[in-house]
Amino acid sequence: LAKDILRAMGYPVVEMDNFEADDVIGTLAKRFGKAGHKVTIVTGDRDSLQLVDDKVSVLLTKRGIRETALYTPAAIQQEYGLEPLQLIDVKGLQGDSSDNIPGVPGVGPKTALKLIQQFGNIEGVYENIETQKGKLKEKLINNKDLAFLSRELGTICLEAPIEKDLKKYEQGTGSPDELLGLFAELELTQFATDVKPVATGPSAEYV
């Protein structure tokens, strides 16, 4: 239903079997960035922070749309003390149960962040494994394969095989009649009141 509403509003809906939404978003963001566009990803998923660069920023919705935070490379450096891509290494160590990414059992977010801040990446952690002590050292050694696997699983694909013509993703005029019909069918009366068609026929638009 959400897709039907978006299409009726003129927004392109992009999806592909066997690829997660993150992969499609990442692929599109980087392609538009390389083409010289400024890109803003609006999401509640912190995984998207790895996509941030000089052309791509993330508007993170912390509490719906009422509380948001804009992440640029400088903002990520200020909050995490890292470059955006290093956040993938943090996730490789800490894991993410919501995405079935195991990480290193017993290594939490604070420890993972500290290790990557200190050593730069997972390779650096293991190159300097003798600097660690006790249980942490033992956990890291025993779960080395999981750390690298988890980093791989947490890396967003930037080459999803979607349409390469960027013009295909431009917003169209949509269909006000179809949109109002959907709102009526779904009893979204306030939305229907907010949408006021300003023309009819093939070139119809809405405000």
Side-chain angles (χ1 to χ4, degrees):
L1 291 172
K3 295 174 187 176
D4 291 340
I5 290 173
L6 288 169
R7 291 189 182 101
M9 294 177 72
Y11 291 105
V13 175
V14 188
E15 56 191 342
M16 174 158 284
D17 290 343
N18 301 319
F19 284 85
E20 294 188 6
D22 282 351
D23 301 327
V24 175
I25 291 169
T27 300
L28 279 173
K30 294 300 183 177
R31 284 183 186 172
F32 273 98
K34 288 178 182 178
H37 297 277
K38 284 287 188 179
V39 179
T40 303
I41 300 169
V42 183
T43 179
D45 188 353
R46 286 184 175 269
D47 288 350
S48 293
L49 296 182
Q50 66 183 263
L51 300 171
V52 170
D53 60 25
D54 61 334
K55 292 291 186 181
V56 180
S57 58
V58 169
L59 185 65
L60 196 69
T61 55
K62 293 188 172 183
R63 292 180 60 188
I65 59 173
R66 295 182 179 181
E67 183 181 339
T68 61
L70 183 66
Y71 283 88
T72 60
I76 289 176
Q77 183 64 235
Q78 182 177 0
E79 181 168 332
Y80 296 100
L82 298 174
E83 299 296 320
L85 286 175
Q86 291 178 291
L87 295 175
I88 307 173
D89 291 84
V90 174
K91 189 164 187 174
L93 293 178
Q94 74 180 49
D96 186 345
S97 58
S98 66
D99 281 340
N100 292 316
I101 297 176
V104 175
V107 173
K110 291 182 179 179
T111 300
L113 180 60
K114 182 179 179 181
L115 287 169
I116 300 305
Q117 286 173 336
Q118 185 174 1
F119 300 111
N121 53 33
I122 291 177
E123 286 85 352
V125 171
Y126 284 99
E127 288 168 5
N128 296 277
I129 195 65
E130 294 306 321
T131 64
Q132 304 305 312
K133 299 177 181 180
K135 289 291 185 180
L136 177 58
K137 180 179 180 180
E138 182 181 332
K139 291 171 184 175
L140 288 168
I141 290 173
N142 292 340
N143 295 282
K144 183 176 181 178
D145 289 345
L146 275 182
F148 283 96
L149 173 62
S150 296
R151 182 175 66 179
E152 181 181 348
L153 293 174
T155 302
I156 294 174
C157 171
L158 305 180
E159 297 294 336
I162 56 177
E163 172 63 57
K164 292 187 177 181
D165 184 358
L166 298 183
K167 291 184 178 179
K168 298 288 186 181
Y169 304 108
E170 293 179 358
Q171 183 181 359
T173 55
S175 173
D177 290 341
E178 181 182 352
L179 181 62
L180 290 171
L182 283 166
F183 286 161
E185 179 184 344
L186 297 171
E187 299 182 4
L188 298 173
T189 54
Q190 186 59 54
F191 286 174
T193 301
D194 291 342
V195 175
K196 301 173 183 177
V198 295
T200 57
S203 62
E205 296 180 355
Y206 63 89
V207 292

